[in-house]
Amino acid sequence: MSDEGELASGGQRIDRWLWYTRLLKSRTLAAALVTAGKLRLNGDRIAKASRMVRPNDVLTFPLGPHIRVVKVLKPGTRRGPAPEAQTLYEDMDPPRPRDASDAPKTGPVREAGSGRPTKRERRQTDALLGDDK
């Protein structure tokens, strides 16, 4: 089916739509996600990248460490810039809570004097004992 035929029917191939929306970097990755059975269309698992999506369809799929839930607003006509691509869908993900797990990670914390000394503590001990190397 041609591009004009897809848009006239009000739908679009799901792999092409995912690529147009810039949710995935390539159509190949989009097709692989669908054929792996990791994408749900309106709650039903689909396995063919040729499946058509239409406005008001809801897609659920894993993307990185998160599960994405998006609502199709309209079919795409091209893979344009990100602001244009974001008009094709509505992000239905709940807002992620800001908590301590989102804070920048630091090294492990341990009490001074317990366990193996750190490099800094070793240098302090060497300086105290007067060991010169």
Side-chain angles (χ1 to χ4, degrees):
M1 188 180 267
S2 66
D3 291 343
E4 294 82 24
E6 284 182 357
L7 296 177
S9 69
Q12 188 169 42
R13 284 178 59 110
I14 195 160
D15 61 338
R16 183 175 285 183
W17 188 85
L18 286 168
W19 181 59
Y20 281 169
T21 58
R22 294 183 169 268
L23 291 170
L24 295 168
K25 288 184 178 185
S26 69
R27 254 181 95 179
T28 306
L29 288 174
L33 179 79
V34 175
T35 56
K38 295 182 179 180
L39 189 132
R40 292 180 180 265
L41 175 66
N42 297 326
D44 298 325
R45 185 172 288 165
I46 61 170
K48 291 191 176 185
S50 62
R51 184 77 180 264
M52 302 294 269
V53 291
R54 291 177 174 73
N56 296 322
D57 284 346
V58 177
L59 303 174
T60 307
F61 57 95
L63 192 62
H66 307 288
I67 302 294
R68 297 293 307 262
V69 180
V70 295
K71 181 178 180 182
V72 178
L73 296 179
K74 60 185 177 181
T77 55
R78 68 183 189 121
R79 188 169 199 256
E84 179 182 321
Q86 290 170 353
T87 64
L88 301 177
Y89 65 93
E90 176 186 345
D91 194 0
M92 298 176 66
D93 289 338
R96 294 187 183 100
R98 299 286 300 171
D99 58 1
S101 65
D102 289 341
K105 303 292 187 228
T106 59
V109 178
R110 67 177 187 86
E111 293 182 27
S114 65
R116 186 174 175 173
T118 64
K119 191 172 191 177
R120 179 175 177 234
E121 292 170 343
R122 182 61 184 219
R123 286 180 179 155
Q124 289 172 343
T125 303
D126 288 346
L128 181 65
L129 296 176
D131 293 341
D132 293 327
K133 290 187 179 185

mmCIF file of all heavy atoms in Angstrom, residues 4 8 10-11 16 23 29 41 47 51-52 54 65-66 76 80 82 91 94 116 121 127-128:
data_model
loop_
_atom_site.group_PDB
_atom_site.id
_atom_site.type_symbol
_atom_site.label_atom_id
_atom_site.label_comp_id
_atom_site.label_asym_id
_atom_site.label_seq_id
_atom_site.Cartn_x
_atom_site.Cartn_y
_atom_site.Cartn_z
ATOM 1 N N GLU A 4 0.039 7.420 0.163
ATOM 2 C CA GLU A 4 -1.252 8.089 0.005
ATOM 3 C C GLU A 4 -2.387 7.149 0.403
ATOM 4 O O GLU A 4 -3.365 7.563 1.017
ATOM 5 C CB GLU A 4 -1.451 8.557 -1.448
ATOM 6 C CG GLU A 4 -0.473 9.643 -1.882
ATOM 7 C CD GLU A 4 0.879 9.078 -2.310
ATOM 8 O OE1 GLU A 4 0.960 7.898 -2.708
ATOM 9 O OE2 GLU A 4 1.862 9.815 -2.229
ATOM 10 N N ALA A 8 -5.008 7.835 3.358
ATOM 11 C CA ALA A 8 -6.419 7.941 2.979
ATOM 12 C C ALA A 8 -7.277 7.015 3.836
ATOM 13 O O ALA A 8 -8.421 7.338 4.162
ATOM 14 C CB ALA A 8 -6.592 7.609 1.501
ATOM 15 N N GLY A 10 -6.730 6.394 6.838
ATOM 16 C CA GLY A 10 -6.688 6.894 8.211
ATOM 17 C C GLY A 10 -5.703 6.144 9.082
ATOM 18 O O GLY A 10 -5.622 6.387 10.276
ATOM 19 N N GLY A 11 -4.935 5.231 8.510
ATOM 20 C CA GLY A 11 -3.979 4.455 9.286
ATOM 21 C C GLY A 11 -2.595 4.503 8.687
ATOM 22 O O GLY A 11 -2.375 5.102 7.633
ATOM 23 N N ARG A 16 6.500 2.167 10.570
ATOM 24 C CA ARG A 16 6.732 3.480 9.970
ATOM 25 C C ARG A 16 6.306 4.590 10.947
ATOM 26 O O ARG A 16 6.998 5.594 11.099
ATOM 27 C CB ARG A 16 5.959 3.588 8.661
ATOM 28 C CG ARG A 16 6.209 4.899 7.953
ATOM 29 C CD ARG A 16 5.527 4.933 6.624
ATOM 30 N NE ARG A 16 6.281 4.087 5.698
ATOM 31 C CZ ARG A 16 5.974 3.947 4.422
ATOM 32 N NH1 ARG A 16 4.939 4.558 3.921
ATOM 33 N NH2 ARG A 16 6.711 3.175 3.651
ATOM 34 N N LEU A 23 10.355 7.781 18.200
ATOM 35 C CA LEU A 23 10.420 6.972 19.418
ATOM 36 C C LEU A 23 11.503 5.909 19.271
ATOM 37 O O LEU A 23 12.082 5.469 20.256
ATOM 38 C CB LEU A 23 9.063 6.334 19.695
ATOM 39 C CG LEU A 23 7.963 7.320 20.103
ATOM 40 C CD1 LEU A 23 6.611 6.641 20.113
ATOM 41 C CD2 LEU A 23 8.266 7.927 21.452
ATOM 42 N N LEU A 29 14.648 -1.152 13.707
ATOM 43 C CA LEU A 29 14.471 -1.345 15.148
ATOM 44 C C LEU A 29 12.989 -1.411 15.508
ATOM 45 O O LEU A 29 12.588 -2.200 16.365
ATOM 46 C CB LEU A 29 15.139 -0.218 15.929
ATOM 47 C CG LEU A 29 16.663 -0.222 15.953
ATOM 48 C CD1 LEU A 29 17.177 1.036 16.640
ATOM 49 C CD2 LEU A 29 17.191 -1.457 16.631
ATOM 50 N N LEU A 41 -0.926 -3.178 21.074
ATOM 51 C CA LEU A 41 -1.786 -2.205 20.432
ATOM 52 C C LEU A 41 -3.168 -2.350 21.050
ATOM 53 O O LEU A 41 -3.802 -3.398 20.906
ATOM 54 C CB LEU A 41 -1.840 -2.453 18.919
ATOM 55 C CG LEU A 41 -2.787 -1.590 18.103
ATOM 56 C CD1 LEU A 41 -2.324 -0.144 18.128
ATOM 57 C CD2 LEU A 41 -2.849 -2.093 16.675
ATOM 58 N N ALA A 47 2.385 -9.002 16.368
ATOM 59 C CA ALA A 47 3.659 -9.562 15.949
ATOM 60 C C ALA A 47 4.013 -9.222 14.507
ATOM 61 O O ALA A 47 4.997 -9.716 13.994
ATOM 62 C CB ALA A 47 3.638 -11.084 16.120
ATOM 63 N N ARG A 51 1.004 -4.101 10.663
ATOM 64 C CA ARG A 51 -0.263 -3.776 11.313
ATOM 65 C C ARG A 51 -0.492 -2.277 11.254
ATOM 66 O O ARG A 51 0.427 -1.481 11.452
ATOM 67 C CB ARG A 51 -0.200 -4.254 12.763
ATOM 68 C CG ARG A 51 -1.451 -4.084 13.541
ATOM 69 C CD ARG A 51 -2.463 -5.147 13.165
ATOM 70 N NE ARG A 51 -3.683 -4.968 13.922
ATOM 71 C CZ ARG A 51 -3.957 -5.612 15.037
ATOM 72 N NH1 ARG A 51 -3.117 -6.492 15.525
ATOM 73 N NH2 ARG A 51 -5.091 -5.382 15.657
ATOM 74 N N MET A 52 -1.708 -1.865 10.988
ATOM 75 C CA MET A 52 -2.033 -0.453 10.845
ATOM 76 C C MET A 52 -2.405 0.162 12.202
ATOM 77 O O MET A 52 -3.086 -0.468 13.003
ATOM 78 C CB MET A 52 -3.210 -0.276 9.884
ATOM 79 C CG MET A 52 -2.962 -0.856 8.509
ATOM 80 S SD MET A 52 -1.674 -0.011 7.635
ATOM 81 C CE MET A 52 -2.624 1.198 6.811
ATOM 82 N N ARG A 54 -4.153 3.648 13.927
ATOM 83 C CA ARG A 54 -5.083 4.724 13.585
ATOM 84 C C ARG A 54 -5.169 5.686 14.771
ATOM 85 O O ARG A 54 -4.787 5.339 15.883
ATOM 86 C CB ARG A 54 -6.453 4.136 13.267
ATOM 87 C CG ARG A 54 -6.438 3.341 11.977
ATOM 88 C CD ARG A 54 -7.758 2.680 11.672
ATOM 89 N NE ARG A 54 -7.743 2.052 10.369
ATOM 90 C CZ ARG A 54 -7.101 0.931 10.063
ATOM 91 N NH1 ARG A 54 -6.395 0.318 10.982
ATOM 92 N NH2 ARG A 54 -7.133 0.428 8.848
ATOM 93 N N PRO A 65 14.883 1.388 30.114
ATOM 94 C CA PRO A 65 14.427 0.818 31.385
ATOM 95 C C PRO A 65 12.965 1.126 31.708
ATOM 96 O O PRO A 65 12.462 0.719 32.737
ATOM 97 C CB PRO A 65 15.352 1.486 32.401
ATOM 98 C CG PRO A 65 15.673 2.800 31.789
ATOM 99 C CD PRO A 65 15.732 2.554 30.297
ATOM 100 N N HIS A 66 12.276 1.838 30.820
ATOM 101 C CA HIS A 66 10.911 2.282 31.098
ATOM 102 C C HIS A 66 9.915 1.628 30.151
ATOM 103 O O HIS A 66 10.252 1.234 29.048
ATOM 104 C CB HIS A 66 10.802 3.804 30.971
ATOM 105 C CG HIS A 66 11.803 4.545 31.787
ATOM 106 N ND1 HIS A 66 11.730 4.624 33.164
ATOM 107 C CD2 HIS A 66 12.920 5.219 31.451
ATOM 108 C CE1 HIS A 66 12.744 5.320 33.625
ATOM 109 N NE2 HIS A 66 13.490 5.699 32.601
ATOM 110 N N GLY A 76 1.789 10.023 10.517
ATOM 111 C CA GLY A 76 2.851 10.916 10.092
ATOM 112 C C GLY A 76 2.965 10.954 8.580
ATOM 113 O O GLY A 76 2.544 10.028 7.886
ATOM 114 N N GLY A 80 10.211 14.212 10.392
ATOM 115 C CA GLY A 80 10.689 15.582 10.539
ATOM 116 C C GLY A 80 11.409 15.785 11.856
ATOM 117 O O GLY A 80 11.792 14.836 12.547
ATOM 118 N N ALA A 82 12.087 16.801 15.842
ATOM 119 C CA ALA A 82 11.458 16.281 17.054
ATOM 120 C C ALA A 82 10.190 17.039 17.456
ATOM 121 O O ALA A 82 9.200 16.403 17.807
ATOM 122 C CB ALA A 82 12.465 16.254 18.197
ATOM 123 N N ASP A 91 1.877 11.465 25.099
ATOM 124 C CA ASP A 91 2.576 10.604 26.052
ATOM 125 C C ASP A 91 1.668 10.384 27.258
ATOM 126 O O ASP A 91 1.296 11.329 27.943
ATOM 127 C CB ASP A 91 3.886 11.254 26.476
ATOM 128 C CG ASP A 91 4.811 10.308 27.186
ATOM 129 O OD1 ASP A 91 4.453 9.130 27.355
ATOM 130 O OD2 ASP A 91 5.911 10.746 27.566
ATOM 131 N N PRO A 94 2.792 7.905 33.304
ATOM 132 C CA PRO A 94 2.655 8.693 34.528
ATOM 133 C C PRO A 94 3.966 9.414 34.801
ATOM 134 O O PRO A 94 5.040 8.924 34.438
ATOM 135 C CB PRO A 94 2.373 7.640 35.604
ATOM 136 C CG PRO A 94 2.863 6.361 35.038
ATOM 137 C CD PRO A 94 2.766 6.479 33.546
ATOM 138 N N ARG A 116 38.984 -2.490 54.209
ATOM 139 C CA ARG A 116 40.246 -2.171 53.545
ATOM 140 C C ARG A 116 40.378 -0.660 53.383
ATOM 141 O O ARG A 116 39.416 0.017 53.017
ATOM 142 C CB ARG A 116 40.239 -2.846 52.180
ATOM 143 C CG ARG A 116 41.528 -2.731 51.445
ATOM 144 C CD ARG A 116 41.461 -3.559 50.195
ATOM 145 N NE ARG A 116 42.645 -3.362 49.409
ATOM 146 C CZ ARG A 116 42.941 -4.035 48.338
ATOM 147 N NH1 ARG A 116 42.127 -4.968 47.912
ATOM 148 N NH2 ARG A 116 44.038 -3.811 47.668
ATOM 149 N N GLU A 121 43.323 7.029 52.582
ATOM 150 C CA GLU A 121 43.639 6.599 53.941
ATOM 151 C C GLU A 121 45.013 5.939 53.996
ATOM 152 O O GLU A 121 45.765 6.108 54.973
ATOM 153 C CB GLU A 121 42.572 5.632 54.454
ATOM 154 C CG GLU A 121 41.225 6.296 54.682
ATOM 155 C CD GLU A 121 40.106 5.310 54.948
ATOM 156 O OE1 GLU A 121 40.270 4.105 54.651
ATOM 157 O OE2 GLU A 121 39.068 5.746 55.443
ATOM 158 N N ALA A 127 52.066 8.608 55.601
ATOM 159 C CA ALA A 127 52.607 9.885 56.040
ATOM 160 C C ALA A 127 52.761 9.898 57.559
ATOM 161 O O ALA A 127 53.749 10.437 58.089
ATOM 162 C CB ALA A 127 51.702 11.026 55.580
ATOM 163 N N LEU A 128 51.833 9.305 58.281
ATOM 164 C CA LEU A 128 51.901 9.265 59.733
ATOM 165 C C LEU A 128 53.076 8.419 60.204
ATOM 166 O O LEU A 128 53.779 8.772 61.156
ATOM 167 C CB LEU A 128 50.592 8.704 60.292
ATOM 168 C CG LEU A 128 50.472 8.616 61.809
ATOM 169 C CD1 LEU A 128 50.475 10.018 62.409
ATOM 170 C CD2 LEU A 128 49.237 7.856 62.201
#
